[in-house]
Amino acid sequence: MTNPTTDVRDRVLSLPSGELPAYVYDLAALREHAATVRAALPERVELYYAAKANPEPEILAALGPYVDGYEVASGGELDHVAKAVPGRSLAFGGPGKTPDEITAALELGVERFHVESEYELHMLAELARRAAPGSRVAVLPRFNLPVASGSLAAGSLAMGGRPTPFGLDPSEADSVMRLLTDGTYPHLELRGIHAHLASGLRAAEQLAVAESIVKWAVGLAERHDGVRLAEVNVGGGMTVDYAAPEERFDWVTYGEGLAELVSRYPDLTLRIEPGRALTAYCGWYATEVLDVKQSHGEEFAVVRGGTHHMRTPATKGHDQPCTVLAVQDWAHPWPRSAARRELVTLTGQLCTPKDVLARNVRAPGLRAGDRVAFALAGAYAWNISHHDFLMHPRPGFHFLDDVDTESAGGEGAQGEGFAH
Ligand SMILES: *Cc1c(COP(=O)(O)O)cnc(C)c1O
C-alpha cells in the first residue's frame, strides 16, 4: 500500500459518491518532485517533459519552472502544449509526422525537430524552405541504436536496438549526415542526435545507455569532418516501479553520472525527456467500492470506474498500488457487503475479465462504500484509456494546489473541473 498526502485523502473522502471516480492531482507534490529532479541535474543537461505522459494543462504549467521545454509527438500535442504553456520551447518528435503537422510546427516556431526517417527529412527540408526561406530549422535525426542487452532490466520496454518503426537505422547514419552537411538542405541545421531507446530503466542502466548514445554520436560526427554536434538527446524512460511505489528513480546518481559524461565533452549539451518518472507520482485515481463478493474461493471488490479510466494496470500487466480509505457512514437502509478474507481483487465496472485494477490487495473487512485511492496515476493513466467503452460517466478532475488555494480563495480556487 502507499499513502496519499492528507490533502489528497481529505479530498477523496469529502467527495460525494456521485462525484467518484475522480482523478486527484497533487500539484504541490509535483512541484516538489520536479524541483528535486532539476536540482539533481548538472549544467549542460536540459530537461524536457514528454507531454504524452500526461498533457493536462495544469500539469504542464506546474512543471514550467523546472523544465527547459516540452517534447510533443503529434500535431494535437503541439497545438495543445503551445496553448497551455505559451512561449515555451518545444521539440517535435514522433513517427509519421504529416505535412500539415510539420507546417503547423514551423509556423509555431518549434525549436527542434526530431527526424524519424530520410523521407521525413526530405519533407521537412522542402516545407522549411517554403515556410521560412530566410532561416534554418534545427534538426536532430533520431537513431534506433543497439542497446546492450545487459543494460536492460526485466520489464523494460525497448524502442531501440531491434526492429521497430522508430527512428533511423544506424546504417543510414552516414548518408543522413552527408545530406545535412553538404549543402543539400540549406534550410536545415544539424543540431545534434536524438535517441530514445527504452523505458523502465534504472539510473545505472540509463547512464550506460546515455553513454553509449553519446559515444556513438560523437564517433559519427568525427567521421564527418568539421561537423559539430551541439546536442545529444538521450531520451526518457526513467523507471517508475509500480511494485515499490515509495522507491523513485535515483536522480542523484543519474545526475552525477551525466555530469561526468558531459565533462568529457566540453562543447556538448545533453538533453533528457522523461515523462512517466516526472508525473506518475502526483496523480491519484480515487473511487468507491460498489460491491464485495466471493467467487470460486476468491474475493472481489467491484469499484466505480475501472480500466476505461485508468488503463495502466491492464496495459502494463501490473497491480496498481492503492490505499483503502475506510468509510464509516453508510447512507443506505440495506447492509453493506463486506470482505471475509484477507486478500481482495479490485475490479472495475466493465463486462470483461480484463478490467482488473489490482489483484490480491490486503484489505480485510473491506466494505461497499469504502474508498480506494490508486497511486501512481499521474502518467499514462487517463489519457491512454478507452473512455467510451460501456458508456460509464467520466471521472472528475481535481488539481490540488496550495499556492492557488491561498492566493485565489473561494470557489474554483483548487482548479475544479469536470470538463473532460
Ligand atoms: C514516450 C517518449 C518519451 C518519454 O518516455 P517516458 O518513459 O515516459 O519517460 C521520451 N521520448 C520519446 C521519443 C518518447 O516517445
Side-chain angles (χ1 to χ4, degrees):
M1 286 218 196
T2 180
N3 289 314
T5 58
T6 317
D7 286 354
V8 171
R9 192 189 181 90
D10 289 351
R11 177 58 59 97
V12 172
L13 287 171
S14 72
L15 289 171
S17 295
E19 291 184 25
L20 292 169
Y23 270 95
V24 180
Y25 294 109
D26 189 338
L27 296 184
L30 175 61
R31 287 199 176 86
E32 196 180 314
H33 176 57
T36 309
V37 171
R38 176 82 261 176
L41 297 174
E43 273 186 50
R44 287 198 286 129
V45 174
E46 293 183 352
L47 173 63
Y48 269 48
Y49 171 58
K52 80 169 187 280
N54 186 336
E56 296 286 354
E58 291 85 350
I59 300 264
L60 298 173
L63 286 171
Y66 312 102
V67 298
D68 297 288
Y70 299 81
E71 191 257 357
V72 299
S74 74
E77 282 190 358
L78 177 69
D79 189 52
H80 171 84
V81 175
K83 289 195 178 94
V85 283
R88 296 304 305 268
S89 292
L90 304 180
F92 187 17
K97 299 180 191 72
T98 68
D100 287 350
E101 288 176 320
I102 291 178
T103 303
L106 289 166
E107 280 165 8
L108 269 168
V110 158
E111 310 246 321
R112 283 160 190 74
F113 286 81
H114 299 161
V115 172
E116 294 264 341
S117 73
E118 215 173 294
Y119 173 73
E120 193 178 293
L121 193 67
H122 296 316
M123 178 163 62
L124 175 61
E126 177 58 20
L127 294 171
R129 187 184 64 79
R130 291 193 211 168
S135 59
R136 296 176 88 201
V137 172
V139 165
L140 287 86
R142 173 182 180 178
F143 284 101
N144 175 353
L145 302 177
V147 190
S149 56
S151 59
L152 288 191
S156 61
L157 183 68
M159 260 75 65
R162 61 185 182 88
T164 69
F166 307 113
L168 287 136
D169 195 77
S171 65
E172 297 169 289
D174 289 308
S175 73
V176 163
M177 288 297 276
R178 277 193 293 275
L179 284 172
L180 282 167
T181 52
D182 67 2
T184 307
Y185 296 134
H187 304 287
L188 303 184
E189 177 215 331
L190 173 66
R191 181 66 60 86
I193 298 296
H194 176 263
H196 169 72
L197 300 179
S199 75
L201 303 192
R202 295 177 189 282
E205 300 150 359
Q206 277 283 5
L207 282 170
V209 169
E211 181 172 352
S212 70
I213 295 168
V214 171
K215 276 191 177 156
W216 183 87
V218 169
L220 176 67
E222 280 169 2
R223 285 207 302 281
H224 293 262
D225 286 347
V227 173
R228 190 184 154 261
L229 285 187
E231 293 173 14
V232 177
N233 184 325
V234 296
M238 294 71 187
T239 195
V240 167
D241 190 343
Y242 291 86
E246 301 80 18
E247 281 173 30
R248 298 205 180 177
F249 182 81
D250 186 350
W251 289 100
V252 170
T253 298
Y254 187 57
E256 285 167 1
L258 291 182
E260 197 279 316
L261 184 58
V262 284
S263 74
R264 290 187 240 159
Y265 306 99
D267 298 330
L268 200 62
T269 295
L270 289 187
R271 178 176 295 177
I272 60 171
E273 48 185 27
R276 190 187 302 271
L278 282 178
T279 53
Y281 302 98
C282 77
W284 298 83
Y285 177 64
T287 186
E288 174 190 54
V289 176
L290 293 173
D291 199 357
V292 182
K293 59 203 279 191
Q294 311 261 336
S295 177
H296 293 273
E298 289 189 24
E299 202 132 42
F300 290 84
V302 181
V303 303
R304 268 183 207 264
T307 53
H308 54 307
H309 293 165
M310 186 181 57
R311 198 164 164 239
T312 329
T315 42
K316 287 190 69 82
H318 66 220
D319 297 320
Q320 196 74 18
C322 64
T323 298
V324 172
L325 305 173
V327 169
Q328 304 309 329
D329 304 332
W330 180 244
H332 304 293
W334 54 83
R336 299 167 80 169
S337 53
R340 281 174 263 167
R341 296 166 190 265
E342 284 276 301
L343 301 180
V344 183
T345 289
L346 305 180
T347 69
Q349 294 172 286
L350 302 183
C351 310
T352 157
K354 294 186 177 171
D355 190 23
V356 176
L357 295 163
R359 286 175 198 78
N360 297 324
V361 174
R362 193 163 300 281
L366 184 72
R367 292 186 290 178
D370 284 338
R371 296 196 169 176
V372 183
F374 291 92
L376 307 196
Y380 304 106
W382 166 249
N383 68 321
I384 64 158
S385 304
H386 43 300
H387 314 139
D388 292 331
F389 186 40
L390 263 125
M391 300 175 76
H392 287 291
R394 295 197 165 199
F397 289 83
H398 303 259
F399 297 89
L400 307 188
D401 193 343
D402 291 345
V403 183
D404 285 354
T405 335
E406 276 165 29
S407 59
E411 226 192 353
Q414 296 188 320
E416 295 298 322
F418 297 89
H420 294 77

